[in-house]
Amino acid sequence: MESARRSVAVLLAGGIGARAGLGMPKQFAELRGRTILGHALAALHDHPGVEGVLVVMAPGYVDAARVVTAGHPRVLDVIEGGAERSDSTVAALRWLADHALAGADLLVHDAARPLVSARIISDCLAALATHQAVGVAVRSSDTILRADATGRVVDVPPRGELWRAQTPQGFRAGVLQRAYDVALADPAFVATDDCSVVLRYLPDVPVQVVEGEDRNMKVTGPDDLAIAERLLGLG
Ligand SMILES: Nc1ccn([C@@H]2O[C@H](COP(=O)(O)OP(=O)(O)OP(=O)(O)O)[C@@H](O)[C@H]2O)c(=O)n1
Ligand SMILES: C[C@](O)(CO)[C@H](O)COP(=O)(O)O
C-alpha cells in the first residue's frame, strides 16, 4: 500500500517589495488588520492537506516575520531568502533537504498573493496525485503581444492558448530539486517562477495547469493594496 503523501508548503516572502513603493517589505502591509504575510500564511497553514509551512523571508526581516508566524504551530521555520525569487526557492530546497523533508510534495506560494483560496490549494494537492508538476493559472482575458527590445510587435499568440500564471505551484517530491540541480549548472539561468524551471530543465516532466482565480492576485504595485483590500471585503 502506498504510504500517505506528505505535503509541505514553501511561502516565498523573501522580496523587498520595491514596486509597491511602501518603503518597507509589502509582506508587512496590512489588509483589514492582518499583514499580507499573515493572510498568505493562514491560507496555507490552516489547510488540512498542508503538513507544515516553511517561510522564506527577506534578509533582515526574519525576526519581524517570526512575530507574524507566532501562534502557528505548523510553521517549520523562518529562513532567509536570496537575491532573486529563484534563490529563495533554492534556499527552501536546501532547508528541506537538511531537515529530512526532501521526500515531501511541495506547494510553492508567493506571500504577495494573500487571497489564495482553500479551493485552489485543495486542487493543487489533488492534481499532484496524478501530475508531477502543476501551476495555478487563469486564462488571459487580454490579447498578449510579444514584442522585441525596440517595442516592435513580433507575435500575437492565439489567446486561447494563453494563461496568466499565479501560485501555488506544486511539485511531486524531488521534482523541483532535480530541476534546480540542472538549472543551476546553466550560467544563463534566470526564472521568475518555478514551473518554468521544471519545463525548461526537466523536459520529461509535464507541467499541468490548475485553474486559479482573479481574486488570487499578486500585490505588486501601489494600487494593488487597495484592490486586494476591496476584494477581501467582498468576502
Ligand atoms: N528574492 C526574492 C524575491 C521575491 N520573493 C517573493 O516572491 C514573491 C513574488 O515576488 P514579487 O511580487 O516580485 O516580490 P518582490 O520581489 O518583493 O517585489 P519587487 O520586485 O517589487 O521588489 C513575493 O512573495 C516575494 O516576497 C522571494 O521570496 N525572494
Ligand atoms: C510566480 C509568479 O507569481 C507567477 O506569475 C510571478 O512570476 C512572480 O513574479 P515576481 O516579479 O517575482 O512578482
Side-chain angles (χ1 to χ4, degrees):
M1 183 174 143
E2 186 179 330
S3 59
R5 308 190 70 81
R6 302 181 70 185
S7 299
V8 165
V10 171
L11 186 57
L12 291 179
I16 59 168
R19 288 172 286 179
L22 297 174
M24 68 175 194
K26 63 191 178 186
Q27 299 87 306
F28 297 107
E30 292 199 353
L31 302 176
R32 293 184 174 251
R34 179 181 241 181
T35 62
I36 283 176
L37 176 64
H39 282 288
L41 174 63
L44 294 167
H45 180 275
D46 297 349
H47 191 284
V50 174
E51 177 180 317
V53 184
L54 177 64
V55 179
V56 185
M57 178 46 65
Y61 291 91
V62 168
D63 289 344
R66 290 189 192 280
V67 173
V68 177
T69 61
H72 294 81
R74 285 186 306 288
V75 168
L76 300 169
D77 202 352
V78 181
I79 65 171
E80 280 199 356
E84 303 297 332
R85 184 183 184 282
S86 54
D87 298 316
S88 292
T89 299
V90 169
L93 291 170
R94 188 177 308 116
W95 188 96
L96 293 167
D98 291 346
H99 293 79
L101 284 170
D105 292 349
L106 294 184
L107 293 185
V108 182
H109 185 60
D110 294 340
R113 294 183 186 274
L115 304 184
V116 61
S117 66
R119 191 280 297 168
I120 287 178
I121 295 169
S122 298
D123 283 0
C124 278
L125 293 171
L128 284 177
T130 49
H131 300 284
Q132 294 187 68
V134 299
V136 174
V138 291
R139 288 188 180 279
S140 178
S141 57
D142 297 320
T143 297
I144 303 298
L145 308 181
R146 183 190 296 275
D148 66 17
T150 70
R152 176 176 175 180
V153 177
V154 295
D155 186 21
V156 181
R159 191 165 74 185
E161 299 171 3
L162 299 178
W163 298 69
R164 289 187 292 111
Q166 300 181 336
T167 64
Q169 297 186 331
F171 305 94
R172 191 81 64 74
V175 166
L176 194 58
Q177 184 64 69
R178 280 173 47 213
Y180 270 98
D181 287 345
V182 181
L184 294 179
D186 176 359
F189 171 68
V190 63
T192 55
D193 78 314
D194 295 303
C195 281
S196 64
V197 183
V198 173
L199 201 66
R200 190 174 307 142
Y201 294 100
L202 297 185
D204 61 315
V205 175
V207 179
Q208 187 72 19
V209 165
V210 168
E211 192 89 32
E213 297 160 4
D214 287 337
R215 179 184 169 86
N216 184 29
M217 65 175 284
K218 181 159 66 75
V219 175
T220 304
D223 295 344
D224 292 334
L225 275 168
I227 295 168
E229 187 125 55
R230 289 294 301 274
L231 284 170
L232 198 56
L234 296 178

